[in-house]
């Protein structure tokens, strides 16, 4: 509980983060993101704005989101804890708003023409004749995702103040309001915590939402809208979990018309509902309590200049695209337990839009997995544990107590369920030469080795001259040993194959399963290898835990094996060679431009890797291992130079970098990434 009390987020926000498995990640990179006062750049930003959206409650406790417009300078910040706004909302009486001093308020300032926005939560300090001031409790920036570019100008058709005073909210959504809501590409939402208190985390939040025209669906008196991937803080969803009452403001910037809604929101976690909308991670429904449609309400209007590039992978209401970030649905057609901890999953395409792609033994398969209470896909890369057969993929996964993806696969998913899979890739494959092959593995590291062995056997059966192969594996005992029967059969059938299993713990051994397999007690080490291998012109392939890998690698080097004869798939940070992290100098600061997202951010060492920088600023990037081994985060670099603290195991293609490990190189002022 002590950690939660110190958090920048209230309990409901943390509960949503935990439900979606991002609480630890958010806790790591959000420190200092939510500030108790405005930094100078935020104060300057608000001073230049021509519009803000505020969130305030009515006397029934329902939030409402309302716009305020003015010339630059209508918002002033005399100090870092105060905003003075020389404009009052004109719907206070119409909506029965409790717009008085000391009440909570949230606001989002937005520059539509630059896609910049910043948020601030606090309380009303005082209300004067024609102006009010806000005392800052929380100040935080927001990424420019999903903001459509527009240039606003003063309207000449704005409805009169007298006409506004005569309006009344309705309990249902009119046909005119339905038509407007169903066509907008932008709306704003105000949400609240259940209890208002002196705690700065309790109050009202105002936030922006954007999508392709039609991204909000109206069915009678209920609205539905998708929740896209964002900063992972889940401020709005946390408030909805806490209270549920929300206010929505839908502007039609072309006509100047607007709709204001208050209602009760519900988070729909059901993935089948989210699947109706491409790009949606979940769906929010709002049961409307009050609706107000006002023609020519907006004081400023403007035509669309450019849709947000972040919307490229989103759709409108209907059937979700078969492709999810380059991944396609695969059905689990078989699920086999290989050992006490490892289970194999057999995957075939769910429909005819895609197929099993031929791959090289040793490569991995990127997957996205949902299951149980998970609503956000978990991305992982698992080694394909068999040679390619053009009919099914097989991944063999160890159940890890703290592994989200492995727990879903083992505990939740069953035959007939669907996961999404991408294109097999990876560079850990058998070299094209005549060398004897030594496949060295520990634990679940057996998976690529078994696929490689099947590939070598297939080459032999297709008429290729066989290589001599040593298959050496370390595990606890026969219960934890995967593929034992298959290895026993292979070892007996092929004279050029030698199999040796090292058991580190005592357990009765079933001699019938072993047949021609050699067995020893203890762990695999150089002493064991020297006792069974002649160490001639051999190629060594390594896969296992970090201690296993480092120990065997250094031992082979000390024995005289050339680095060029050692191949590995390493799961630790950096390289198995453990080079000096200061070997390549890192810049002290640089400008990073994400070209597709049209975002430029100043990087400093405390921002971490380029992947971490992207995540902090809402730029979507693929990733899996996060330590430079799988290549899932490989990204094209258009300009600039990068460096790695530690040499990654995966070597990206020319002109590409591994975001999870890359940082700007010394003397590099700017970097442009195709992201």
């Amino acid at each position: 509980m002590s950690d939660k009390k110190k958090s920048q987020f209230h309990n409901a926000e943390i509960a949503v983060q935990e439900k979606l498995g991002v609480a630890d990640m958010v806790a790591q990179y959000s420190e200092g993101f939510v500030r108790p006062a405005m930094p100078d750049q935020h104060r300057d930003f608000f001073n230049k704005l021509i519009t803000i959206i505020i969130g305030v409650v009515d006397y029934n406790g329902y939030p409402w989101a309302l716009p305020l417009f003015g010339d630059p300078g209508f918002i002033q910040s005399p100090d870092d804890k105060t905003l003075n706004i020389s404009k009052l909302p004109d719907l206070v009486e119409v909506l029965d708003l409790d717009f008085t001093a000391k009440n909570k308020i949230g606001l989002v300032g937005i520059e539509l023409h630059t896609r910049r926005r910043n948020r601030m939560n606090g309380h009303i300090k005082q209300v004067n004749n024609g102006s009010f001031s806000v005392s800052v409790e929380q100040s935080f920036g927001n990424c420019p995702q999903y903001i459509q570019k527009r240039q606003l100008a003063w309207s000449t058709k704005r409805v009169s103040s007298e006409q506004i005073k005569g309006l009344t909210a309705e309990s249902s959504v009119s046909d005119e309001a339905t038509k407007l809501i169903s066509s907008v590409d932008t709306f704003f939402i105000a949400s609240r915590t259940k209890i208002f208190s002196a705690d700065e985390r309790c109050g009202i939040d105002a936030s922006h939402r954007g999508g392709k025209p039609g991204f909000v669906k109206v069915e009678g008196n209920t609205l539905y809208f998708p929740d896209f991937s964002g900063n992972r803080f889940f401020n709005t969803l946390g408030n909805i979990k806490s209270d549920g009452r929300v206010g929505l403001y839908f502007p039609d910037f072309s006509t100047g018309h607007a709709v204001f809604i208050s209602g009760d929101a519900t988070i729909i976690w059901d993935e089948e509902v989210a699947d109706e909308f491409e790009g949606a991670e979940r769906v929010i429904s709002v049961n409307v309590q009050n609706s107000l449609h006002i023609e020519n309400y907006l004081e400023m209007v403007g035509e669309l200049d450019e849709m947000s590039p972040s919307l490229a992978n989103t759709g409108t209401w209907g059937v979700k695209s078969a492709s999810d970030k380059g991944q396609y649905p695969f059905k689990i057609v078989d699920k086999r337990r290989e050992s006490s901890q490892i289970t194999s999953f057999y995957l075939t395409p769910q429909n005819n839009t895609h197929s099993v792609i031929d791959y090289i033994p040793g490569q991995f398969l990127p997957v996205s997995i949902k299951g149980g209470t998970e609503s956000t896909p978990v991305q992982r890369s698992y080694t394909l544990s068999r040679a390619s057969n053009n009919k099914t993929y097989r991944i063999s996964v160890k159940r890890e107590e703290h592994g989200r993806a492995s727990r879903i696969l083992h505990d939740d998913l069953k035959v007939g369920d669907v996961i999404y899979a991408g294109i097999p890739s990876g560079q850990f494959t058998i070299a094209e030469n005549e060398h004897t092959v030594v496949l060295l593995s520990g634990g679940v590291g057996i998976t690529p080795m078994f696929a490689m062995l099947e590939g070598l056997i297939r080459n032999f059966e297709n008429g290729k001259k066989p290589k001599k192969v040593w298959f050496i594996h370390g595990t606890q005992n026969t219960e934890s040993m995967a593929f034992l029967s298959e290895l026993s059969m292979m070892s007996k059938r092929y004279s050029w194959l030698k199999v040796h299993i090292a058991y580190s713990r005592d357990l009765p051994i079933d001699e019938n399963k072993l047949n021609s397999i050699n067995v020893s007690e203890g762990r695999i080490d150089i002493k064991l290898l020297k006792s069974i291998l002649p160490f001639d012109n051999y190629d060594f392939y390594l896969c296992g835990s970090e201690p296993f890998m480092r120990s065997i690698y250094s031992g082979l080097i000390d024995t005289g094996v050339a680095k060029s004869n050692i191949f590995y798939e390493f799961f630790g940070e950096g390289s198995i060679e453990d080079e000096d992290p200061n070997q390549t100098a890192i810049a002290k600061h640089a400008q990073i431009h994400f070209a597709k997202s049209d975002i430029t951010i100043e990087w400093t060492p405390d921002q971490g890797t380029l992947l971490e920088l992207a995540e902090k600023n809402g730029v979507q990037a693929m990733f899996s291992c996060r330590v430079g081994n799988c290549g899932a985060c490989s990204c094209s670099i258009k300009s600039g130079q990068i460096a790695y603290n530690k040499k990654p195991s995966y070597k990206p293609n020319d002109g590409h970098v591994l975001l999870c490990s890359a940082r700007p190189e010394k003397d590099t002022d700017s970097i442009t990434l195709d992201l």
Side-chain angles (χ1 to χ4, degrees):
M1 287 297 294
S2 60
D3 288 339
K4 289 187 178 180
K5 288 180 181 178
K6 296 177 182 178
S7 173
Q8 301 172 83
F9 306 99
H10 61 69
N11 289 340
E13 289 171 323
I14 295 172
V16 173
Q17 294 167 9
E18 288 177 342
K19 177 181 179 64
L20 299 177
V22 299
D24 291 341
M25 178 185 70
V26 169
Q28 289 176 4
Y29 74 70
S30 65
E31 184 176 356
F33 187 85
V34 180
R35 304 175 178 90
M38 294 179 292
D40 288 343
Q41 61 179 359
H42 285 197
R43 297 173 64 193
D44 182 62
F45 172 78
F46 282 115
N47 183 59
K48 295 177 180 177
L49 288 178
I50 60 173
T51 182
I52 60 168
I53 292 82
I54 64 172
V56 291
V57 297
D58 62 22
Y59 279 100
N60 290 318
Y62 278 92
W64 291 84
L66 309 168
L68 296 175
F69 298 93
D71 290 318
F74 88 104
I75 304 172
Q76 293 288 327
S77 175
D79 57 66
D80 62 1
K81 294 283 289 186
T82 306
L83 279 184
N84 292 331
I85 303 170
S86 60
K87 194 74 172 284
L88 290 174
D90 54 11
L91 294 175
V92 172
E93 294 182 5
V94 173
L95 300 176
D96 198 25
L97 302 179
D98 188 5
F99 194 78
T100 54
K102 298 184 180 180
N103 282 343
K104 293 284 187 173
I105 186 171
L107 62 84
V108 54
I110 189 165
E111 278 187 347
L112 294 176
H113 65 287
T114 64
R115 292 199 172 104
R116 290 184 64 197
R117 59 176 161 166
N118 287 303
R119 284 153 70 183
M120 189 274 284
N121 301 335
H123 64 268
I124 300 172
K125 192 172 183 179
Q126 60 183 4
V127 180
N128 301 313
N129 184 22
S131 66
F132 68 101
S133 61
V134 176
S135 182
V136 177
E137 294 175 348
Q138 289 187 325
S139 175
F140 48 109
N142 249 179
C143 68
Q145 282 194 110
Y146 315 121
I147 298 177
Q148 332 303 352
K149 273 191 175 181
R150 280 184 170 89
Q151 293 279 355
L152 299 184
W154 289 103
S155 173
T156 59
K157 300 179 181 179
R158 215 261 177 167
V159 65
S160 70
S161 298
E162 291 302 315
Q163 289 174 301
I164 290 175
K165 289 179 181 179
L167 298 172
T168 303
E170 301 176 353
S171 60
S172 60
V173 185
S174 66
D175 291 342
E176 294 83 1
T178 297
K179 183 177 179 181
L180 187 151
I181 293 170
S182 301
S183 64
V184 299
D185 56 43
T186 298
F187 74 89
F188 297 86
I189 180 170
S191 57
R192 59 164 292 169
T193 54
K194 189 173 187 64
I195 298 173
F196 289 166
S197 72
D199 188 333
E200 68 277 3
R201 297 171 298 182
C202 297
I204 303 175
D205 181 77
S207 183
H208 163 275
R209 290 290 187 272
K212 295 176 181 176
F215 81 114
V216 183
K217 179 169 64 172
V218 185
E219 292 185 349
N221 233 33
T222 304
L223 312 183
Y224 298 90
F225 64 88
D227 187 51
F228 300 139
S229 176
N231 59 17
R232 302 326 223 184
F233 293 168
F234 299 113
N235 306 111
T236 301
L237 266 60
N239 283 349
I240 292 174
K241 180 176 176 60
S242 174
D243 185 86
R245 288 174 287 184
V246 297
L248 295 89
Y249 151 54
F250 298 92
D252 184 335
F253 289 107
S254 296
T255 64
H257 304 340
V259 173
F260 299 91
I261 295 286
S262 70
D264 299 293
T266 302
I267 305 169
I268 302 175
W269 303 103
D270 189 343
E271 62 183 74
E272 291 185 5
V273 176
D275 281 347
E276 294 182 28
F277 199 107
E278 183 177 4
E281 295 190 336
R282 60 203 63 82
V283 170
I284 312 300
S285 69
V286 179
N287 183 28
V288 176
Q289 298 299 322
N290 289 284
S291 173
L292 179 64
H293 175 255
I294 310 178
E295 293 188 354
N296 299 316
Y297 176 77
L298 302 185
E299 294 182 72
M300 286 187 170
V301 294
E303 297 298 331
L304 177 70
D305 287 340
E306 181 184 55
M307 295 292 291
S308 168
S310 300
L311 296 172
N313 294 321
T314 69
T316 54
W317 285 99
V319 179
K320 188 176 181 181
S321 168
S323 173
D324 182 6
K325 295 181 181 178
Q327 298 182 345
Y328 295 86
F330 280 77
K331 183 184 295 184
I332 300 174
V333 293
D334 199 2
K335 183 176 177 179
R336 299 181 190 176
R337 187 171 180 175
E338 306 290 0
S339 73
S340 59
Q341 297 175 308
I342 298 173
T343 296
S344 288
F345 300 83
Y346 293 76
L347 312 173
T348 60
Q350 186 185 28
N351 51 51
N352 295 325
T353 63
H354 54 289
S355 61
V356 169
I357 297 174
D358 193 25
Y359 59 88
I360 304 172
Q363 291 188 312
F364 61 81
L365 184 71
V367 297
S368 295
I369 306 164
K370 285 185 182 180
T373 60
E374 299 284 345
S375 61
T376 302
V378 184
Q379 297 181 18
R380 293 292 185 270
S381 292
Y382 290 112
T383 302
L384 290 152
S385 61
R386 69 185 307 177
S388 179
N389 66 4
N390 296 319
K391 295 180 180 179
T392 61
Y393 291 132
R394 185 180 77 177
I395 56 174
S396 301
V397 181
K398 178 183 177 183
R399 189 189 187 282
E400 301 283 359
E401 188 60 33
H402 300 291
R404 291 172 59 209
S406 71
R407 292 201 314 271
I408 293 171
L409 284 166
H410 279 255
D411 303 343
D412 299 335
L413 298 186
K414 57 186 182 300
V415 172
D417 287 339
V418 172
I419 68 175
Y420 279 75
I423 298 174
S425 59
Q427 301 166 314
F428 184 54
T429 57
I430 297 293
E432 292 292 334
N433 57 37
E434 301 300 319
H435 299 173
T436 294
V437 172
V438 181
L439 303 174
L440 276 165
S441 59
V444 74
I446 194 173
T447 54
M449 305 308 190
F450 193 82
M452 290 176 178
L453 178 57
E454 276 198 343
L456 291 167
I457 289 173
R458 182 172 298 172
N459 289 342
F460 169 69
E461 292 181 341
N462 288 336
K464 198 170 183 178
K465 180 181 177 181
K467 292 186 176 187
K468 291 183 179 180
V469 178
W470 286 85
F471 192 104
I472 304 173
H473 180 69
T475 188
Q476 293 180 354
N477 47 48
T478 51
E479 284 189 357
S480 64
M481 178 67 202
F483 311 126
L484 182 57
S485 297
E486 295 94 325
L487 285 169
S488 177
M489 179 193 68
M490 293 171 176
S491 178
K492 187 175 182 179
R493 183 172 181 178
Y494 302 106
S495 60
W496 42 267
L497 170 63
K498 304 294 182 184
V499 178
H500 186 105
I501 308 298
Y503 291 110
S504 61
R505 296 184 183 177
D506 294 333
L507 194 73
I509 295 174
D510 186 347
E511 298 291 343
N512 293 325
K513 287 185 178 181
L514 295 179
N515 288 331
S516 57
I517 291 179
N518 295 313
V519 175
S520 63
E521 293 183 6
R523 300 181 184 276
I524 298 176
D525 55 20
I526 291 299
K527 182 178 179 180
L528 173 66
L529 296 181
K530 286 182 177 180
S531 70
I532 61 178
L533 296 175
F535 276 83
D536 199 352
N537 190 23
Y538 288 3
D539 283 343
F540 293 84
Y541 297 82
L542 317 180
C543 188
S545 68
E546 182 173 350
F548 170 84
M549 299 277 285
R550 292 197 187 280
S551 173
I552 299 300
Y553 181 85
S554 61
L556 291 174
I557 295 297
D558 292 343
T559 304
V561 178
K563 289 184 179 180
S564 59
N565 293 112
I566 305 176
F567 306 86
Y568 49 84
E569 183 155 73
F570 182 54
F571 299 109
E573 182 178 358
S575 168
I576 192 175
E577 300 172 42
D578 200 17
E579 297 182 0
D580 181 359
N582 295 316
Q583 177 178 323
T584 306
I586 304 297
K588 293 185 178 180
H589 59 82
Q591 293 290 323
I592 310 299
H593 179 60
F594 297 100
K596 288 183 178 178
S597 302
D598 193 21
I599 301 173
T600 301
I601 303 160
E602 183 168 354
W603 177 93
T604 52
D606 60 350
Q607 300 272 17
T609 65
L610 296 181
L611 175 60
E612 291 170 324
L613 182 72
E615 290 174 332
K616 291 175 185 176
N617 291 277
V619 179
Q620 290 185 329
M622 289 290 290
F623 67 89
S624 183
C625 74
R626 301 186 74 97
V627 290
N629 295 327
C630 71
C633 67
S634 178
C635 175
S636 173
I637 180 170
K638 294 179 173 294
S639 65
Q641 298 295 321
I642 60 92
Y644 299 108
N645 266 10
K646 292 185 178 181
K647 180 182 177 183
S649 299
Y650 185 94
K651 183 181 179 182
N653 294 332
D654 291 341
H656 286 70
V657 299
L658 298 185
L659 295 173
C660 74
S661 305
R663 294 167 172 82
E665 190 180 51
K666 184 180 180 181
D667 298 327
T668 293
D669 295 324
S670 64
I671 289 175
T672 299
L673 297 168
D674 190 26
L675 196 65

